[in-house]
Amino acid sequence: MDKSFAPIAVDLFCGCGGVTEGLKQAGFTVIAAVDNNSICYKTYILNHPNVTFFNKDIRKTSAQSIKKLLCGQKLDLLVVCAPCQPFSRLNKSVKPDERVYLILQSIRFARVLRPQYIFFENVPGLSKNNIVMDTLKGGLEKLGYVLTSPVVVDAADYEVPQRRARCIIVASQKKVDPFILPPPVTPNGNRKTVRQTIADLPEAPIGENFEDPLHFSRKHSSKALERLRHISHDGGSRNELPASLVLACHKKLEDAGEPKHYCDVYGRMRWDSVSPTLTTGCTDITKGRYAHPCKDRAITLREAALLQTFPLTYKFSGTPGEVAMQIGNAVPVNLVKNLAGAFLPKGEK
């Protein structure tokens, strides 16, 4: 494709740039990105220095300022990956969360930018929030957009070595072709595996790694290492621990006759399967099945980034905890790359 005529996209709630990376790989030119997180901003501009970044609250970001960047050209795609925490089943808080309404800012941007398509990506719980969904649909329909019904896809079907259920909704102008979800690139039985993704990496040193600052092993406690040594390679779980090593909180629940809780804690990934869903705790063995398939350690930040399909050369800014947060919150690059082709003008796919 002639890059001088590449379709144009804008990335709202861009985080550390996973969506932008996927769009660029699919052939889009991303002209603007918006996110209020200053650490994500530093990571984003390290990797996408030619994109105009608005490091501010989406509610205080001017749609007109972005429109000026178009210089009279049409906007092909507006991507909206609003914070998913308010809609997540893992969010047990009963307190009101104002972030639940941030997705509705897309209506304001659509009114000014008039994109051909608007692509929404979030957790499946989004579709269950009737107030937000009805307001979103009503607002966009008044602007002349037609919305698809929410569809839940597994990122593993789109070349991502990870189970990750995502809700996809697309709004399109009535004059353009309706969005048709691309078929799976890696359907069940042909999925990209943990082995294919991280097995060829060099050994991760404990602490600092001067060759790759993201590929280092955490300093686990002696008790954590002892637990890991009792858990079999390639998919073992904490159910294999002797009674003396069972965590007190788990033992208390089991003694009370409660069902197994957090069974993936201290669990190992399987080499020839996809990884579990990566969260912001993706390098912490106490947060899920984030132990390396055969090494007595958690996966490294670089391994986590590769499982989210970031390129090996992708740079991250921040402390290890801040980097894990960015990786866990990111949209997998390959998911975007493989879905974005459906928005390309015919003849450019």
Side-chain angles (χ1 to χ4, degrees), residues 5 10 35 37 42 49 57 115 137 139 147-148 190 222 238 334 342:
F5 296 101
V10 168
D35 202 284
N37 186 293
K42 292 177 181 178
D57 189 318
K137 183 178 180 181
L147 272 69
T148 63
N190 190 35
S222 58
R238 70 173 178 84
N334 282 0

Side-chain angles (χ1 to χ4, degrees), residues 101-173:
Y101 300 111
L102 290 177
I103 192 172
L104 301 179
Q105 290 294 313
S106 60
I107 300 171
R108 177 170 65 87
F109 282 86
R111 183 179 297 112
V112 174
L113 300 176
R114 305 301 303 173
Q116 301 269 58
Y117 296 96
I118 309 171
F119 175 81
F120 297 92
E121 185 271 358
N122 213 291
V123 293
L126 167 64
S127 64
K128 297 180 175 62
N129 191 307
N130 294 332
I131 294 176
V132 169
M133 288 299 301
D134 289 347
T135 305
L136 181 67
K137 183 178 180 181
L140 290 175
E141 285 182 345
K142 287 180 181 178
L143 298 177
Y145 287 89
V146 177
L147 272 69
T148 63
S149 297
V151 176
V152 176
V153 303
D154 188 341
D157 284 335
Y158 293 92
E159 213 177 3
V160 178
Q162 177 190 166
R163 278 190 308 277
R164 199 175 185 95
R166 308 306 292 176
C167 176
I168 305 298
I169 304 169
V170 176
S172 57
Q173 290 186 11

Side-chain angles (χ1 to χ4, degrees), residues 8 25 70 104 110 116 140 182 194 200 202 238 251 254 263 287 339:
I8 299 173
Q25 290 186 20
L70 288 167
L104 301 179
Q116 301 269 58
L140 290 175
V194 171
D200 291 338
R238 70 173 178 84
K251 191 174 189 309
E254 291 166 13
C263 294
K287 297 293 179 64
L339 294 182

Side-chain angles (χ1 to χ4, degrees), residues 41 58 98-99 116 125 143 200 208 234 246 278 289 300 347:
Y41 161 68
I58 193 81
E98 64 177 8
R99 293 175 299 174
Q116 301 269 58
L143 298 177
D200 291 338
E208 203 166 23
D234 202 13
V246 173
L278 299 188
R289 189 174 287 275
T300 68

Side-chain angles (χ1 to χ4, degrees), residues 15-16 35 47 75 96 127 144 146 173 179 206 237-238 243 262 274 321 337 339 342 347:
C16 64
D35 202 284
N47 299 279
L75 178 61
S127 64
V146 177
Q173 290 186 11
F179 171 79
I206 297 175
S237 76
R238 70 173 178 84
Y262 307 109
V274 296
K337 179 188 72 174
L339 294 182

Side-chain angles (χ1 to χ4, degrees), residues 216-221 224-225 227-228 231 247 250 262-269 276-292 296-304 307 320-325 327-328:
F216 66 91
S217 176
R218 294 176 60 140
K219 295 179 181 178
H220 297 295
S221 68
L225 289 172
R227 289 188 176 105
L228 285 173
I231 296 172
L247 278 75
H250 295 154
Y262 307 109
C263 294
D264 279 346
V265 167
Y266 279 94
R268 292 186 184 275
M269 293 183 180
T277 302
L278 299 188
T279 67
T280 56
C282 57
T283 59
D284 187 341
I285 55 176
T286 71
K287 297 293 179 64
R289 189 174 287 275
Y290 299 138
H292 189 277
D296 290 334
R297 61 170 175 82
I299 60 170
T300 68
L301 291 167
R302 179 61 71 194
E303 288 165 339
L307 291 168
E322 289 168 338
V323 174
M325 176 273 294
I327 293 171

